Amino acid sequence: MNILKDILYKVAIESVTGSTDIAIHKIDFDSRKIETNDIFVAIRGSLSDGHDYIQKAIELGATAIICDTLPEVLAKEVTYIKVKDTNSALAFMAANYFDNPSEKIKLVGITGTNGKTTIASLLYQLFKKAGFKVGLLSTVKILVDETEYKATHTTPDSITINHYLNEMIEAGVTYCFMEVSSHGIHQKRTEALHFVGGIFTNLSHDHLDYHPTFAEYRDVKKSFFDSLPKTAFALSNIDDKNGPVMLQNTVAKKRTYALKSYADYKAQILENQLSGLLLKINDNEVWVKLIGTFNAYNLLAIYGTAIELGIDSLEALRLLSDLESVSGRFQFIVSDSNITAIVDYAHTPDALENVLKTINDIRTKNEQLITVVGCGGNRDKTKRPIMAQIGSELSDKAIFTSDNPRNEDPETIISEMEKGVEPQNYKKTLAITDRKQAIKTACQLAQPNDIILIAGKGHETYQEVNGVRHDFDDMKIVKEILAQLNK
């Protein structure tokens, strides 16, 4: 049985009206899910304010209300807890409700603009291969050892995080790797979690639809490292100019990785081919199945984390060489007519540039590189012309199309992208609003040995249009089209 006063441990309380010595069924911040003897936490969101639904929660049976502003009329038999920050309160209450599962598992958080999913997923893979029971909290999916659940956010809400961490404890999981987004940090979803390590990948233009400035975006990421305990490690990419910033104020053990700078974990790319990379990591050579400079950074972060968590260095290299690429992250097929199609999640200017430069480094230049790319609706508009500029500059042909238009007109998004195309690249571009038709056109234009990059959606199996998600899988579609053209 959960008692309210126990669940409130470490919550910054400003006032209490009523008794805290009452039994509680569960916690929720969605008034529609409230049942008898539940706690309702009123969260102020971007679209709605939970304080507007306090009365509804009470009518459904809530016996305790957590809020930052008390209602004008207080109901009898209901306990009201006024707190400084309801997001923070929810984080601590969720952790307490599930008996603080993050303290019973080795939890590592990965943050940065690009690479979070790849690093988290490959760390899961590596530790599974090393014989451990492992958990994963990622954009793509949630894994409790080998049981898979669907993910809805990069960093889930505090209740969901603690629920799955608790499931992991019960399943005997000893390590968990978790993507930590700037939204998640800003909304205090990770505040009450105990991390044994944190990884910083890089920082580039993203989420400025949510954060008002790049400086705030950076500082929110930094606050994750500021909060790590002395017993944890903080592993940062110091080739990124913000890498040293992440380590400035942390009390955790500072560790660095780099390809260009002196670092604790250093790598050199000896060979870069479509079949993989030959890396020299801290004086040892290793062949890996992943491709490109950006993956060399990801693998270095994974190697460093494995060492910090106690895996022998030669064993870590052996496990590294056995890793398979992550769904929708530089995932490629070669058709019967020898056309290579690559699907990648690159949805930021930096990520798109990385992928295109990687392809250009590998290819012979005797073939065409055709890029299909779009930009999401209801997201940072400033990156649209930059994405188009990069796509048209680094490809032989660029086809601008829909990504997830959400509630925006896809043709308007494409026209905003086209403003970034430089005059000398106009003839290299096409605009095809229908994404499937854009992919089909790229396949029809491709000759044997050509390369098609389909960027932006990666692992996603849907396209969101006017609030509705339609089935849409880039890899599945390009496979079908290339198979039909081969007939």
Side-chain angles (χ1 to χ4, degrees):
M1 184 189 291
N2 287 288
I3 304 298
L4 179 57
K5 65 182 178 184
D6 297 332
I7 295 171
L8 292 170
Y9 179 59
K10 289 188 178 178
V11 173
I13 296 171
E14 294 189 339
S15 71
V16 177
T17 305
S19 173
T20 59
D21 199 18
I22 56 173
I24 290 300
H25 175 226
K26 66 175 170 56
I27 309 165
D28 218 311
F29 57 89
D30 185 339
S31 60
R32 295 166 296 184
K33 296 178 182 176
I34 292 295
E35 298 171 332
T36 304
N37 294 333
D38 282 355
I39 303 173
F40 174 64
V41 184
I43 300 290
R44 295 187 191 275
S46 55
L47 299 175
S48 65
D49 184 351
H51 290 76
D52 296 337
Y53 300 94
I54 289 174
Q55 186 55 41
K56 183 188 174 187
I58 292 168
E59 287 167 7
L60 289 171
T63 49
I65 302 294
I66 313 297
C67 53
D68 60 37
T69 305
L70 288 170
E72 288 182 14
V73 179
L74 303 184
K76 290 179 181 178
E77 309 302 320
V78 173
T79 300
Y80 294 86
I81 312 288
K82 185 173 180 288
V83 298
K84 187 177 180 182
D85 183 329
T86 53
N87 281 302
S88 174
L90 180 64
F92 284 105
M93 291 169 71
N96 293 332
Y97 180 83
F98 288 102
D99 197 22
N100 294 287
S102 66
E103 295 178 4
K104 303 169 192 171
I105 197 169
K106 289 180 178 173
L107 178 64
V108 176
I110 302 104
T111 195
T113 306
N114 302 311
K116 294 189 296 295
T117 302
T118 298
I119 291 171
S121 302
L122 292 180
L123 276 167
Y124 169 88
Q125 206 184 113
L126 185 144
F127 275 76
K128 282 292 287 178
K129 289 177 186 292
F132 296 100
K133 286 194 170 187
V134 192
L136 175 70
L137 291 165
S138 82
T139 305
V140 181
K141 58 191 166 187
I142 293 167
L143 286 165
V144 177
D145 195 29
E146 292 176 3
T147 306
E148 184 175 324
Y149 301 91
K150 193 176 178 184
T152 54
H153 294 82
T154 303
T155 306
D157 64 79
S158 302
I159 298 169
T160 304
I161 292 169
N162 283 280
H163 165 75
Y164 283 114
L165 288 175
N166 190 53
E167 293 277 307
M168 289 174 198
I169 302 301
E170 290 180 359
V173 167
T174 49
Y175 293 92
C176 177
F177 302 101
M178 173 181 175
E179 289 187 53
V180 177
S181 68
S182 58
H183 293 64
I185 301 166
H186 189 254
Q187 293 169 12
K188 312 287 176 70
R189 294 180 217 162
T190 57
E191 187 174 17
L193 300 178
H194 180 269
F195 289 91
V196 299
I199 303 165
F200 171 72
T201 62
N202 49 64
L203 210 60
S204 67
H205 214 276
D206 199 19
H207 297 309
L208 298 188
D209 51 315
Y210 180 85
H211 300 285
T213 64
F214 186 82
E216 189 203 270
Y217 178 48
R218 179 200 64 213
D219 292 346
V220 165
K221 296 279 190 194
K222 180 180 176 294
S223 70
F224 170 69
F225 294 92
D226 293 349
S227 67
L228 289 175
K230 279 184 182 177
T231 50
F233 67 85
L235 177 63
S236 185
N237 170 12
I238 55 162
D239 279 348
D240 186 288
K241 65 182 179 184
N242 293 290
V245 175
M246 298 298 145
L247 301 178
Q248 275 175 359
N249 303 108
T250 188
V251 296
K253 183 168 67 171
K254 298 176 183 180
R255 289 290 180 266
T256 56
Y257 68 98
L259 294 182
K260 301 171 188 171
S261 319
Y262 177 78
D264 297 301
Y265 301 103
K266 182 94 166 66
Q268 183 183 353
I269 298 173
L270 303 178
E271 288 182 33
N272 187 6
Q273 301 171 12
L274 206 53
S275 54
L277 286 167
L278 181 62
L279 298 174
K280 189 175 184 181
I281 299 179
N282 286 11
D283 298 325
N284 287 300
E285 289 186 15
V286 61
W287 176 263
V288 293
K289 299 172 190 173
L290 280 78
I291 304 155
T293 304
F294 60 97
N295 269 324
Y297 280 106
N298 293 336
L299 289 160
L300 205 45
I302 291 159
Y303 174 78
T305 301
I307 304 298
E308 295 301 326
L309 291 174
I311 289 184
D312 173 76
S313 59
L314 290 177
E315 174 67 357
L317 289 171
R318 185 190 71 77
L319 293 164
L320 217 60
S321 69
D322 204 24
L323 296 177
E324 303 284 347
S325 64
V326 178
S327 172
R329 281 11 184 222
F330 214 99
Q331 191 179 4
F332 69 94
I333 56 157
V334 180
S335 74
D336 292 344
S337 56
N338 212 31
I339 294 166
T340 300
I342 300 165
V343 170
D344 193 272
Y345 188 52
H347 64 289
T348 67
D350 190 52
L352 183 63
E353 186 173 6
N354 280 338
V355 173
L356 286 169
K357 282 186 173 176
T358 294
I359 297 167
N360 282 318
D361 285 346
I362 296 167
R363 74 188 185 111
T364 64
K365 306 293 191 293
N366 292 322
E367 66 286 280
Q368 281 192 104
L369 169 55
I370 304 167
T371 297
V372 178
V373 64
C375 289
N378 306 108
R379 295 294 185 268
D380 179 12
K381 294 184 178 184
T382 60
K383 68 183 181 187
R384 292 173 185 173
I386 306 168
M387 294 280 282
Q389 189 272 321
I390 291 166
S392 58
E393 180 66 31
L394 298 179
S395 312
D396 296 302
K397 190 163 285 293
I399 302 174
F400 303 140
T401 189
S402 297
D403 189 284
N404 289 317
R406 299 184 177 89
N407 296 316
E408 280 195 72
D409 175 11
E411 291 185 9
T412 302
I413 297 171
I414 292 168
S415 68
E416 288 177 4
M417 288 179 70
E418 289 176 317
K419 290 173 186 172
V421 178
E422 293 176 4
Q424 69 271 25
N425 295 324
Y426 286 159
K427 288 183 179 177
K428 292 162 66 176
T429 67
L430 286 172
I432 301 172
T433 307
D434 183 285
R435 190 174 180 90
K436 186 172 183 178
Q437 188 59 47
I439 295 170
K440 187 174 183 179
T441 302
C443 294
Q444 289 169 332
L445 290 170
Q447 300 295 314
N449 301 316
D450 285 353
I451 299 168
I452 301 166
L453 170 66
I454 304 166
K457 289 175 55 57
H459 64 280
E460 293 177 353
T461 55
Y462 62 85
Q463 189 175 30
E464 191 175 329
V465 184
N466 293 324
V468 179
R469 288 189 172 189
H470 304 271
D471 286 345
F472 200 100
D473 183 329
D474 282 352
M475 181 55 80
K476 188 178 171 185
I477 285 166
V478 75
K479 274 183 184 175
E480 286 172 0
I481 292 168
L482 286 172
Q484 287 166 4
L485 292 175
N486 283 333
K487 286 178 183 176

